[in-house]
Amino acid sequence: MCGIVGYIGTRQAAPIILDGLSKLEYRGYDSAGMAIYDGERIVTKKAVGRLKILENLTRGGETMPGTLGIGHTRWATHGAPSDANSHPHTNQSGTIAVVHNGIIENYIPLKKKMEARGCRFVSETDTEVLAHLLDYYYRGNPLEAITKVLHRVEGSYALGIVFADHPEEVFAARKDSPLIVGQGEDGCFIASDVPAILRYTRTVYYMDNQEVACLRKDGMRFYSVDEEEIEKEAVSIDWDADAAEKAGYEHFMLKEMYEQPRTVADTLSPRIRNNEIVIDELKMTDEELRAIHKIYIVACGSAYHAGVTGKYVIENLARVGVEVEVASEFRYRDPILEENGLVIIISQSGETADSLAALRESRKRGFRVLGIVNVVGSSIAREADSVMYTWAGPEIAVATTKAYSAQLAALYLLAMKLARVKGTVTEERFQNLLQALRRLPDQIELLLGQKEKIQHFANRYLGARDIFFMGRGIDFAISLEGSLKLKEISYVHSEAYAAGELKHGTISLIEEGTLVVAVSTQPYLYQKTISNMVEVKARGAFVMALTGEGNLAIEKASDYVIYLPITEPIFANSLAIIPLQLFGYYVAVGRGCDVDKPRNLAKSVTVE
Ligand code: AGP
């Protein structure tokens, strides 16, 4: 999504803004720009393409002197990627500049009104309407003009705004799109996300909806959209700077895969105390947990896939019915939700527009919402009734790995907590499950050690046109994620299928040499899945099997077998995903793809 950085202080603004924007590249973008006050006027430079182009255009910011400014990386929503559509946008006289992340939903009628008043638009964007509206309401008081505009616009926004005749202030405003404010030794910052300003400050303020910030070089004030001053709590960021760097790995994605033992442990261990599951942040008594008779898991992409696994795990352990749905469907289909239902929104970024909308729809209907979120202080985290954080740290690669694994861990904990309070598992089984959870990080570590073997196998499929994944039960759930990991970074077409479903159509696509990845980790389904493997092999498929150690019978139906350490079958997805992530990664690397920033994708889809 778009990235915003702003600065006001004692140092040159442009180099700081360029550096900050480079730390936001992971959000996905197609153009970049800056507006800097040079002592007399606002100078704006912008260019379509990678940030490097803007850096070269401004000689690293040298050609844009000034200690106050705003910058932006744009992920196009309204108007194709172009210099004219890049941000910042200004009013006609160039005395007001604005950068924006989000969507102004009523920009067309507003644009018509401004044009009728003689405004000349130079772009196709919704954002430019804001610049002209600010000009329309501005009578010398920036805060007054901003709040008037915010009362007129509908939709989502994170804004950075500068006024040429107020060169001692930078303004920010936020509704639905994330925005933080930071204070460092040499000045104050606005940014879409922490990595952009982490090298300058660890003290940040997460802006809430419909708040406005006024930054000066030595401090800031916060206001409501009714211009009432408000107090905000600072948050101290404890990420080390390296966390946002690659730490020696070739790609963020590989680094984050290798962080999974730790992030799974970080998510599990604080919640396992004295051989019990303790999830205080649920803010629900055992009584309230016992009263839950239905769960709705709503999410997008990989988070949705984690939810599919969650369904199998929660139903198996806690015997509570679980429905899983993609948020973009849930939010518009007027869902029928049962009394005593709990809605769980899973989201790494905590800013996915469809998931946030599903949360709001659920709360509007009076349902309790639990967020399983990775980004602390994100919108979903703050708007849910309670939130279980997946302590995976900043995930930079667009393709999620460590956050996904942490989501599985969080769902296991929730399932076990529900099973405990509902008495649906014996003490012995509960303790065995606990033991299995504790072993997962080391077992993940062990599987990561097989990366060369996976890489060697992956290199045989760099030219593949189609690759199919199949499994039964939770093996189907992990097949969904394995397929997405492959296709979203290698651009190789892939589909995941319930293994029993292939013969109802898709098997017609199996040709000589087609790779089928069969996941078979559930002993009670071993034989069934072997039958499906025989079916596809009979039609020429090359079958790569993932199965538990000891299931030697699978070899007669496979061409290549990866054995997984033995764990409680219900937790097997946490192990099976490792070779699947590595496979997708090495196919993508072998195909020369931009692994961390795949084409057309963004790390956080904060617009519909
Ligand atoms: C996963 O690799 C993708 N990047 C994407 O499917 C992602 O899981 C989805 O957009 C949901 O994002 P969220 O978890 O931040 O809500």
Side-chain angles (χ1 to χ4, degrees), residues 260-279 281 388-391 406 409-410 413 434 437-441:
Q260 289 179 115
R262 183 169 54 75
T263 55
V264 168
D266 288 351
T267 301
L268 290 171
S269 41
R271 294 154 173 149
I272 300 176
R273 288 178 231 156
N274 308 321
N275 288 332
E276 286 298 342
I277 304 286
V278 179
I279 317 177
E281 63 268 44
M388 263 184 96
Y389 281 118
T390 50
W391 300 113
L413 290 166
L434 271 186
L437 284 186
R438 290 191 181 99
R439 281 198 304 270
L440 283 180

PDB file of all heavy atoms in Angstrom, residues 260-279 281 388-391 406 409-410 413 434 437-441:
ATOM      1  N   GLN A 260      11.017 -18.475  12.239  1.00  0.00           N
ATOM      2  CA  GLN A 260       9.798 -19.150  12.686  1.00  0.00           C
ATOM      3  C   GLN A 260       9.956 -19.936  13.982  1.00  0.00           C
ATOM      4  O   GLN A 260       9.072 -19.916  14.843  1.00  0.00           O
ATOM      5  CB  GLN A 260       9.240 -20.019  11.553  1.00  0.00           C
ATOM      6  CG  GLN A 260       8.660 -19.177  10.435  1.00  0.00           C
ATOM      7  CD  GLN A 260       8.109 -19.994   9.289  1.00  0.00           C
ATOM      8  OE1 GLN A 260       6.914 -19.988   9.020  1.00  0.00           O
ATOM      9  NE2 GLN A 260       8.984 -20.683   8.592  1.00  0.00           N
ATOM     10  N   PRO A 261      11.067 -20.643  14.206  1.00  0.00           N
ATOM     11  CA  PRO A 261      11.184 -21.318  15.514  1.00  0.00           C
ATOM     12  C   PRO A 261      10.991 -20.325  16.661  1.00  0.00           C
ATOM     13  O   PRO A 261      10.257 -20.590  17.617  1.00  0.00           O
ATOM     14  CB  PRO A 261      12.588 -21.909  15.468  1.00  0.00           C
ATOM     15  CG  PRO A 261      12.872 -22.107  14.012  1.00  0.00           C
ATOM     16  CD  PRO A 261      12.212 -20.951  13.322  1.00  0.00           C
ATOM     17  N   ARG A 262      11.617 -19.151  16.517  1.00  0.00           N
ATOM     18  CA  ARG A 262      11.530 -18.176  17.609  1.00  0.00           C
ATOM     19  C   ARG A 262      10.132 -17.571  17.691  1.00  0.00           C
ATOM     20  O   ARG A 262       9.561 -17.435  18.768  1.00  0.00           O
ATOM     21  CB  ARG A 262      12.565 -17.068  17.429  1.00  0.00           C
ATOM     22  CG  ARG A 262      12.555 -16.066  18.600  1.00  0.00           C
ATOM     23  CD  ARG A 262      13.735 -15.138  18.548  1.00  0.00           C
ATOM     24  NE  ARG A 262      13.804 -14.469  17.241  1.00  0.00           N
ATOM     25  CZ  ARG A 262      12.992 -13.485  16.881  1.00  0.00           C
ATOM     26  NH1 ARG A 262      12.037 -13.108  17.693  1.00  0.00           N
ATOM     27  NH2 ARG A 262      13.105 -12.905  15.707  1.00  0.00           N
ATOM     28  N   THR A 263       9.572 -17.220  16.543  1.00  0.00           N
ATOM     29  CA  THR A 263       8.276 -16.525  16.607  1.00  0.00           C
ATOM     30  C   THR A 263       7.167 -17.472  17.064  1.00  0.00           C
ATOM     31  O   THR A 263       6.242 -17.056  17.756  1.00  0.00           O
ATOM     32  CB  THR A 263       7.923 -15.919  15.236  1.00  0.00           C
ATOM     33  OG1 THR A 263       7.961 -16.945  14.236  1.00  0.00           O
ATOM     34  CG2 THR A 263       8.886 -14.822  14.866  1.00  0.00           C
ATOM     35  N   VAL A 264       7.276 -18.737  16.709  1.00  0.00           N
ATOM     36  CA  VAL A 264       6.294 -19.703  17.216  1.00  0.00           C
ATOM     37  C   VAL A 264       6.487 -19.855  18.726  1.00  0.00           C
ATOM     38  O   VAL A 264       5.527 -19.812  19.504  1.00  0.00           O
ATOM     39  CB  VAL A 264       6.430 -21.055  16.495  1.00  0.00           C
ATOM     40  CG1 VAL A 264       5.631 -22.143  17.197  1.00  0.00           C
ATOM     41  CG2 VAL A 264       5.961 -20.923  15.049  1.00  0.00           C
ATOM     42  N   ALA A 265       7.725 -19.934  19.156  1.00  0.00           N
ATOM     43  CA  ALA A 265       8.000 -20.028  20.602  1.00  0.00           C
ATOM     44  C   ALA A 265       7.536 -18.765  21.314  1.00  0.00           C
ATOM     45  O   ALA A 265       6.906 -18.827  22.375  1.00  0.00           O
ATOM     46  CB  ALA A 265       9.487 -20.264  20.830  1.00  0.00           C
ATOM     47  N   ASP A 266       7.788 -17.600  20.711  1.00  0.00           N
ATOM     48  CA  ASP A 266       7.375 -16.336  21.343  1.00  0.00           C
ATOM     49  C   ASP A 266       5.855 -16.231  21.468  1.00  0.00           C
ATOM     50  O   ASP A 266       5.328 -15.571  22.362  1.00  0.00           O
ATOM     51  CB  ASP A 266       7.878 -15.136  20.513  1.00  0.00           C
ATOM     52  CG  ASP A 266       9.386 -14.950  20.646  1.00  0.00           C
ATOM     53  OD1 ASP A 266       9.972 -15.635  21.506  1.00  0.00           O
ATOM     54  OD2 ASP A 266       9.962 -14.144  19.874  1.00  0.00           O
ATOM     55  N   THR A 267       5.162 -16.881  20.535  1.00  0.00           N
ATOM     56  CA  THR A 267       3.698 -16.815  20.576  1.00  0.00           C
ATOM     57  C   THR A 267       3.134 -17.829  21.567  1.00  0.00           C
ATOM     58  O   THR A 267       2.151 -17.569  22.251  1.00  0.00           O
ATOM     59  CB  THR A 267       3.126 -17.085  19.160  1.00  0.00           C
ATOM     60  OG1 THR A 267       3.660 -16.105  18.267  1.00  0.00           O
ATOM     61  CG2 THR A 267       1.604 -17.013  19.129  1.00  0.00           C
ATOM     62  N   LEU A 268       3.819 -18.960  21.686  1.00  0.00           N
ATOM     63  CA  LEU A 268       3.328 -20.037  22.552  1.00  0.00           C
ATOM     64  C   LEU A 268       3.735 -19.824  24.013  1.00  0.00           C
ATOM     65  O   LEU A 268       2.883 -19.808  24.907  1.00  0.00           O
ATOM     66  CB  LEU A 268       3.885 -21.391  22.095  1.00  0.00           C
ATOM     67  CG  LEU A 268       3.360 -21.967  20.784  1.00  0.00           C
ATOM     68  CD1 LEU A 268       4.182 -23.198  20.385  1.00  0.00           C
ATOM     69  CD2 LEU A 268       1.874 -22.325  20.895  1.00  0.00           C
ATOM     70  N   SER A 269       5.026 -19.604  24.241  1.00  0.00           N
ATOM     71  CA  SER A 269       5.517 -19.772  25.613  1.00  0.00           C
ATOM     72  C   SER A 269       4.906 -18.814  26.633  1.00  0.00           C
ATOM     73  O   SER A 269       4.580 -19.255  27.741  1.00  0.00           O
ATOM     74  CB  SER A 269       7.039 -19.733  25.667  1.00  0.00           C
ATOM     75  OG  SER A 269       7.540 -18.753  24.827  1.00  0.00           O
ATOM     76  N   PRO A 270       4.639 -17.534  26.290  1.00  0.00           N
ATOM     77  CA  PRO A 270       4.051 -16.687  27.336  1.00  0.00           C
ATOM     78  C   PRO A 270       2.662 -17.157  27.750  1.00  0.00           C
ATOM     79  O   PRO A 270       2.135 -16.743  28.788  1.00  0.00           O
ATOM     80  CB  PRO A 270       3.972 -15.308  26.666  1.00  0.00           C
ATOM     81  CG  PRO A 270       4.810 -15.368  25.450  1.00  0.00           C
ATOM     82  CD  PRO A 270       4.835 -16.792  25.021  1.00  0.00           C
ATOM     83  N   ARG A 271       2.065 -18.042  26.970  1.00  0.00           N
ATOM     84  CA  ARG A 271       0.692 -18.452  27.238  1.00  0.00           C
ATOM     85  C   ARG A 271       0.592 -19.882  27.743  1.00  0.00           C
ATOM     86  O   ARG A 271      -0.490 -20.433  27.833  1.00  0.00           O
ATOM     87  CB  ARG A 271      -0.155 -18.236  25.972  1.00  0.00           C
ATOM     88  CG  ARG A 271      -0.284 -16.741  25.620  1.00  0.00           C
ATOM     89  CD  ARG A 271      -0.523 -16.522  24.159  1.00  0.00           C
ATOM     90  NE  ARG A 271      -0.816 -15.109  23.850  1.00  0.00           N
ATOM     91  CZ  ARG A 271      -0.506 -14.519  22.710  1.00  0.00           C
ATOM     92  NH1 ARG A 271       0.120 -15.219  21.764  1.00  0.00           N
ATOM     93  NH2 ARG A 271      -0.806 -13.263  22.490  1.00  0.00           N
ATOM     94  N   ILE A 272       1.756 -20.481  28.019  1.00  0.00           N
ATOM     95  CA  ILE A 272       1.754 -21.824  28.641  1.00  0.00           C
ATOM     96  C   ILE A 272       2.434 -21.672  29.992  1.00  0.00           C
ATOM     97  O   ILE A 272       3.645 -21.433  30.066  1.00  0.00           O
ATOM     98  CB  ILE A 272       2.508 -22.850  27.778  1.00  0.00           C
ATOM     99  CG1 ILE A 272       1.872 -22.978  26.394  1.00  0.00           C
ATOM    100  CG2 ILE A 272       2.519 -24.214  28.491  1.00  0.00           C
ATOM    101  CD1 ILE A 272       2.620 -23.912  25.441  1.00  0.00           C
ATOM    102  N   ARG A 273       1.620 -21.708  31.056  1.00  0.00           N
ATOM    103  CA  ARG A 273       2.187 -21.508  32.394  1.00  0.00           C
ATOM    104  C   ARG A 273       1.708 -22.620  33.336  1.00  0.00           C
ATOM    105  O   ARG A 273       0.501 -22.912  33.363  1.00  0.00           O
ATOM    106  CB  ARG A 273       1.733 -20.152  32.962  1.00  0.00           C
ATOM    107  CG  ARG A 273       2.407 -18.959  32.290  1.00  0.00           C
ATOM    108  CD  ARG A 273       1.890 -17.641  32.859  1.00  0.00           C
ATOM    109  NE  ARG A 273       1.462 -16.727  31.805  1.00  0.00           N
ATOM    110  CZ  ARG A 273       0.569 -15.739  31.965  1.00  0.00           C
ATOM    111  NH1 ARG A 273      -0.002 -15.586  33.159  1.00  0.00           N
ATOM    112  NH2 ARG A 273       0.231 -14.955  30.967  1.00  0.00           N
ATOM    113  N   ASN A 274       2.672 -23.240  34.001  1.00  0.00           N
ATOM    114  CA  ASN A 274       2.322 -24.338  34.944  1.00  0.00           C
ATOM    115  C   ASN A 274       1.419 -25.362  34.280  1.00  0.00           C
ATOM    116  O   ASN A 274       0.376 -25.733  34.809  1.00  0.00           O
ATOM    117  CB  ASN A 274       1.622 -23.774  36.194  1.00  0.00           C
ATOM    118  CG  ASN A 274       2.436 -22.651  36.822  1.00  0.00           C
ATOM    119  OD1 ASN A 274       3.679 -22.755  36.868  1.00  0.00           O
ATOM    120  ND2 ASN A 274       1.770 -21.566  37.228  1.00  0.00           N
ATOM    121  N   ASN A 275       1.821 -25.737  33.089  1.00  0.00           N
ATOM    122  CA  ASN A 275       1.084 -26.775  32.341  1.00  0.00           C
ATOM    123  C   ASN A 275      -0.372 -26.418  32.088  1.00  0.00           C
ATOM    124  O   ASN A 275      -1.236 -27.285  31.977  1.00  0.00           O
ATOM    125  CB  ASN A 275       1.167 -28.120  33.072  1.00  0.00           C
ATOM    126  CG  ASN A 275       2.567 -28.714  32.967  1.00  0.00           C
ATOM    127  OD1 ASN A 275       3.276 -28.431  31.985  1.00  0.00           O
ATOM    128  ND2 ASN A 275       2.982 -29.449  33.973  1.00  0.00           N
ATOM    129  N   GLU A 276      -0.651 -25.135  32.050  1.00  0.00           N
ATOM    130  CA  GLU A 276      -1.994 -24.649  31.678  1.00  0.00           C
ATOM    131  C   GLU A 276      -1.851 -23.644  30.542  1.00  0.00           C
ATOM    132  O   GLU A 276      -0.807 -23.032  30.364  1.00  0.00           O
ATOM    133  CB  GLU A 276      -2.679 -23.986  32.878  1.00  0.00           C
ATOM    134  CG  GLU A 276      -3.183 -24.970  33.931  1.00  0.00           C
ATOM    135  CD  GLU A 276      -4.262 -25.931  33.382  1.00  0.00           C
ATOM    136  OE1 GLU A 276      -4.863 -25.631  32.319  1.00  0.00           O
ATOM    137  OE2 GLU A 276      -4.446 -26.985  34.003  1.00  0.00           O
ATOM    138  N   ILE A 277      -2.933 -23.450  29.795  1.00  0.00           N
ATOM    139  CA  ILE A 277      -2.977 -22.408  28.761  1.00  0.00           C
ATOM    140  C   ILE A 277      -3.563 -21.156  29.413  1.00  0.00           C
ATOM    141  O   ILE A 277      -4.674 -21.202  29.966  1.00  0.00           O
ATOM    142  CB  ILE A 277      -3.864 -22.832  27.573  1.00  0.00           C
ATOM    143  CG1 ILE A 277      -3.397 -24.161  26.989  1.00  0.00           C
ATOM    144  CG2 ILE A 277      -3.883 -21.724  26.515  1.00  0.00           C
ATOM    145  CD1 ILE A 277      -2.139 -24.129  26.179  1.00  0.00           C
ATOM    146  N   VAL A 278      -2.805 -20.076  29.379  1.00  0.00           N
ATOM    147  CA  VAL A 278      -3.258 -18.822  29.997  1.00  0.00           C
ATOM    148  C   VAL A 278      -3.280 -17.746  28.922  1.00  0.00           C
ATOM    149  O   VAL A 278      -2.238 -17.367  28.390  1.00  0.00           O
ATOM    150  CB  VAL A 278      -2.308 -18.402  31.135  1.00  0.00           C
ATOM    151  CG1 VAL A 278      -2.780 -17.093  31.756  1.00  0.00           C
ATOM    152  CG2 VAL A 278      -2.217 -19.509  32.179  1.00  0.00           C
ATOM    153  N   ILE A 279      -4.484 -17.285  28.574  1.00  0.00           N
ATOM    154  CA  ILE A 279      -4.612 -16.255  27.530  1.00  0.00           C
ATOM    155  C   ILE A 279      -5.414 -15.092  28.116  1.00  0.00           C
ATOM    156  O   ILE A 279      -6.582 -14.872  27.802  1.00  0.00           O
ATOM    157  CB  ILE A 279      -5.307 -16.800  26.263  1.00  0.00           C
ATOM    158  CG1 ILE A 279      -4.797 -18.191  25.871  1.00  0.00           C
ATOM    159  CG2 ILE A 279      -5.089 -15.840  25.086  1.00  0.00           C
ATOM    160  CD1 ILE A 279      -5.493 -18.821  24.684  1.00  0.00           C
ATOM    161  N   GLU A 281      -5.338 -12.054  27.634  1.00  0.00           N
ATOM    162  CA  GLU A 281      -5.760 -10.985  26.716  1.00  0.00           C
ATOM    163  C   GLU A 281      -7.105 -11.301  26.055  1.00  0.00           C
ATOM    164  O   GLU A 281      -7.690 -10.447  25.400  1.00  0.00           O
ATOM    165  CB  GLU A 281      -4.686 -10.694  25.684  1.00  0.00           C
ATOM    166  CG  GLU A 281      -4.348 -11.829  24.738  1.00  0.00           C
ATOM    167  CD  GLU A 281      -3.201 -12.702  25.218  1.00  0.00           C
ATOM    168  OE1 GLU A 281      -3.166 -13.049  26.431  1.00  0.00           O
ATOM    169  OE2 GLU A 281      -2.352 -13.064  24.396  1.00  0.00           O
ATOM    170  N   MET A 388      -5.331 -11.184  20.529  1.00  0.00           N
ATOM    171  CA  MET A 388      -4.194 -12.092  20.795  1.00  0.00           C
ATOM    172  C   MET A 388      -3.113 -11.720  19.789  1.00  0.00           C
ATOM    173  O   MET A 388      -3.302 -11.902  18.595  1.00  0.00           O
ATOM    174  CB  MET A 388      -4.608 -13.552  20.535  1.00  0.00           C
ATOM    175  CG  MET A 388      -5.017 -14.359  21.704  1.00  0.00           C
ATOM    176  SD  MET A 388      -5.353 -16.061  21.169  1.00  0.00           S
ATOM    177  CE  MET A 388      -3.774 -16.824  21.550  1.00  0.00           C
ATOM    178  N   TYR A 389      -2.017 -11.169  20.275  1.00  0.00           N
ATOM    179  CA  TYR A 389      -0.953 -10.812  19.339  1.00  0.00           C
ATOM    180  C   TYR A 389      -0.141 -12.047  18.966  1.00  0.00           C
ATOM    181  O   TYR A 389       0.131 -12.901  19.803  1.00  0.00           O
ATOM    182  CB  TYR A 389      -0.039  -9.751  19.946  1.00  0.00           C
ATOM    183  CG  TYR A 389      -0.619  -8.350  19.873  1.00  0.00           C
ATOM    184  CD1 TYR A 389      -0.894  -7.622  21.026  1.00  0.00           C
ATOM    185  CD2 TYR A 389      -0.907  -7.760  18.651  1.00  0.00           C
ATOM    186  CE1 TYR A 389      -1.441  -6.342  20.962  1.00  0.00           C
ATOM    187  CE2 TYR A 389      -1.457  -6.470  18.562  1.00  0.00           C
ATOM    188  CZ  TYR A 389      -1.714  -5.776  19.725  1.00  0.00           C
ATOM    189  OH  TYR A 389      -2.256  -4.516  19.654  1.00  0.00           O
ATOM    190  N   THR A 390       0.221 -12.132  17.700  1.00  0.00           N
ATOM    191  CA  THR A 390       1.183 -13.148  17.263  1.00  0.00           C
ATOM    192  C   THR A 390       2.537 -12.462  17.313  1.00  0.00           C
ATOM    193  O   THR A 390       2.840 -11.632  16.476  1.00  0.00           O
ATOM    194  CB  THR A 390       0.883 -13.552  15.799  1.00  0.00           C
ATOM    195  OG1 THR A 390       0.768 -12.358  15.002  1.00  0.00           O
ATOM    196  CG2 THR A 390      -0.419 -14.329  15.708  1.00  0.00           C
ATOM    197  N   TRP A 391       3.312 -12.805  18.274  1.00  0.00           N
ATOM    198  CA  TRP A 391       4.570 -12.067  18.507  1.00  0.00           C
ATOM    199  C   TRP A 391       5.619 -12.466  17.472  1.00  0.00           C
ATOM    200  O   TRP A 391       6.646 -13.038  17.780  1.00  0.00           O
ATOM    201  CB  TRP A 391       5.051 -12.334  19.925  1.00  0.00           C
ATOM    202  CG  TRP A 391       4.063 -11.913  20.949  1.00  0.00           C
ATOM    203  CD1 TRP A 391       3.357 -12.705  21.801  1.00  0.00           C
ATOM    204  CD2 TRP A 391       3.618 -10.579  21.209  1.00  0.00           C
ATOM    205  NE1 TRP A 391       2.504 -11.962  22.573  1.00  0.00           N
ATOM    206  CE2 TRP A 391       2.640 -10.651  22.228  1.00  0.00           C
ATOM    207  CE3 TRP A 391       3.935  -9.334  20.663  1.00  0.00           C
ATOM    208  CZ2 TRP A 391       1.990  -9.529  22.724  1.00  0.00           C
ATOM    209  CZ3 TRP A 391       3.279  -8.214  21.167  1.00  0.00           C
ATOM    210  CH2 TRP A 391       2.321  -8.316  22.190  1.00  0.00           C
ATOM    211  N   ALA A 406       2.828 -18.186  13.272  1.00  0.00           N
ATOM    212  CA  ALA A 406       2.432 -17.693  14.598  1.00  0.00           C
ATOM    213  C   ALA A 406       0.911 -17.684  14.734  1.00  0.00           C
ATOM    214  O   ALA A 406       0.365 -17.931  15.815  1.00  0.00           O
ATOM    215  CB  ALA A 406       2.994 -16.290  14.825  1.00  0.00           C
ATOM    216  N   ALA A 409      -0.073 -21.086  15.710  1.00  0.00           N
ATOM    217  CA  ALA A 409       0.222 -21.307  17.136  1.00  0.00           C
ATOM    218  C   ALA A 409      -0.854 -20.676  18.010  1.00  0.00           C
ATOM    219  O   ALA A 409      -1.342 -21.283  18.977  1.00  0.00           O
ATOM    220  CB  ALA A 409       1.595 -20.727  17.471  1.00  0.00           C
ATOM    221  N   ALA A 410      -1.263 -19.475  17.654  1.00  0.00           N
ATOM    222  CA  ALA A 410      -2.305 -18.784  18.433  1.00  0.00           C
ATOM    223  C   ALA A 410      -3.613 -19.576  18.390  1.00  0.00           C
ATOM    224  O   ALA A 410      -4.302 -19.727  19.411  1.00  0.00           O
ATOM    225  CB  ALA A 410      -2.520 -17.374  17.889  1.00  0.00           C
ATOM    226  N   LEU A 413      -3.486 -22.560  20.684  1.00  0.00           N
ATOM    227  CA  LEU A 413      -3.664 -22.165  22.086  1.00  0.00           C
ATOM    228  C   LEU A 413      -5.140 -21.938  22.388  1.00  0.00           C
ATOM    229  O   LEU A 413      -5.679 -22.386  23.396  1.00  0.00           O
ATOM    230  CB  LEU A 413      -2.881 -20.882  22.365  1.00  0.00           C
ATOM    231  CG  LEU A 413      -1.358 -21.007  22.366  1.00  0.00           C
ATOM    232  CD1 LEU A 413      -0.723 -19.620  22.313  1.00  0.00           C
ATOM    233  CD2 LEU A 413      -0.869 -21.760  23.589  1.00  0.00           C
ATOM    234  N   LEU A 434       0.216 -30.350  25.103  1.00  0.00           N
ATOM    235  CA  LEU A 434       1.144 -29.312  25.587  1.00  0.00           C
ATOM    236  C   LEU A 434       2.585 -29.673  25.228  1.00  0.00           C
ATOM    237  O   LEU A 434       3.356 -28.853  24.744  1.00  0.00           O
ATOM    238  CB  LEU A 434       1.026 -29.157  27.097  1.00  0.00           C
ATOM    239  CG  LEU A 434       0.008 -28.189  27.656  1.00  0.00           C
ATOM    240  CD1 LEU A 434       0.164 -28.088  29.169  1.00  0.00           C
ATOM    241  CD2 LEU A 434       0.147 -26.814  27.020  1.00  0.00           C
ATOM    242  N   LEU A 437       3.198 -29.052  21.619  1.00  0.00           N
ATOM    243  CA  LEU A 437       3.370 -27.606  21.340  1.00  0.00           C
ATOM    244  C   LEU A 437       4.792 -27.179  21.668  1.00  0.00           C
ATOM    245  O   LEU A 437       5.439 -26.492  20.877  1.00  0.00           O
ATOM    246  CB  LEU A 437       2.390 -26.779  22.165  1.00  0.00           C
ATOM    247  CG  LEU A 437       0.931 -26.727  21.735  1.00  0.00           C
ATOM    248  CD1 LEU A 437       0.170 -25.739  22.614  1.00  0.00           C
ATOM    249  CD2 LEU A 437       0.779 -26.351  20.269  1.00  0.00           C
ATOM    250  N   ARG A 438       5.271 -27.619  22.816  1.00  0.00           N
ATOM    251  CA  ARG A 438       6.607 -27.187  23.256  1.00  0.00           C
ATOM    252  C   ARG A 438       7.694 -27.666  22.279  1.00  0.00           C
ATOM    253  O   ARG A 438       8.719 -27.030  22.112  1.00  0.00           O
ATOM    254  CB  ARG A 438       6.885 -27.712  24.646  1.00  0.00           C
ATOM    255  CG  ARG A 438       6.055 -27.062  25.740  1.00  0.00           C
ATOM    256  CD  ARG A 438       6.595 -27.442  27.123  1.00  0.00           C
ATOM    257  NE  ARG A 438       5.807 -26.855  28.197  1.00  0.00           N
ATOM    258  CZ  ARG A 438       4.856 -27.510  28.872  1.00  0.00           C
ATOM    259  NH1 ARG A 438       4.574 -28.779  28.547  1.00  0.00           N
ATOM    260  NH2 ARG A 438       4.180 -26.923  29.844  1.00  0.00           N
ATOM    261  N   ARG A 439       7.425 -28.803  21.611  1.00  0.00           N
ATOM    262  CA  ARG A 439       8.444 -29.363  20.715  1.00  0.00           C
ATOM    263  C   ARG A 439       8.436 -28.697  19.332  1.00  0.00           C
ATOM    264  O   ARG A 439       9.412 -28.796  18.578  1.00  0.00           O
ATOM    265  CB  ARG A 439       8.198 -30.879  20.536  1.00  0.00           C
ATOM    266  CG  ARG A 439       8.670 -31.745  21.682  1.00  0.00           C
ATOM    267  CD  ARG A 439       8.801 -33.210  21.237  1.00  0.00           C
ATOM    268  NE  ARG A 439       7.545 -33.718  20.680  1.00  0.00           N
ATOM    269  CZ  ARG A 439       6.591 -34.312  21.415  1.00  0.00           C
ATOM    270  NH1 ARG A 439       6.778 -34.486  22.717  1.00  0.00           N
ATOM    271  NH2 ARG A 439       5.470 -34.742  20.864  1.00  0.00           N
ATOM    272  N   LEU A 440       7.347 -28.022  18.998  1.00  0.00           N
ATOM    273  CA  LEU A 440       7.214 -27.491  17.628  1.00  0.00           C
ATOM    274  C   LEU A 440       8.396 -26.622  17.190  1.00  0.00           C
ATOM    275  O   LEU A 440       8.930 -26.815  16.101  1.00  0.00           O
ATOM    276  CB  LEU A 440       5.904 -26.720  17.495  1.00  0.00           C
ATOM    277  CG  LEU A 440       4.624 -27.548  17.354  1.00  0.00           C
ATOM    278  CD1 LEU A 440       3.417 -26.613  17.240  1.00  0.00           C
ATOM    279  CD2 LEU A 440       4.669 -28.489  16.151  1.00  0.00           C
ATOM    280  N   PRO A 441       8.841 -25.628  17.984  1.00  0.00           N
ATOM    281  CA  PRO A 441       9.947 -24.773  17.501  1.00  0.00           C
ATOM    282  C   PRO A 441      11.186 -25.562  17.094  1.00  0.00           C
ATOM    283  O   PRO A 441      11.743 -25.326  16.014  1.00  0.00           O
ATOM    284  CB  PRO A 441      10.216 -23.851  18.694  1.00  0.00           C
ATOM    285  CG  PRO A 441       8.899 -23.783  19.410  1.00  0.00           C
ATOM    286  CD  PRO A 441       8.310 -25.151  19.286  1.00  0.00           C
TER     287      PRO A 441
END
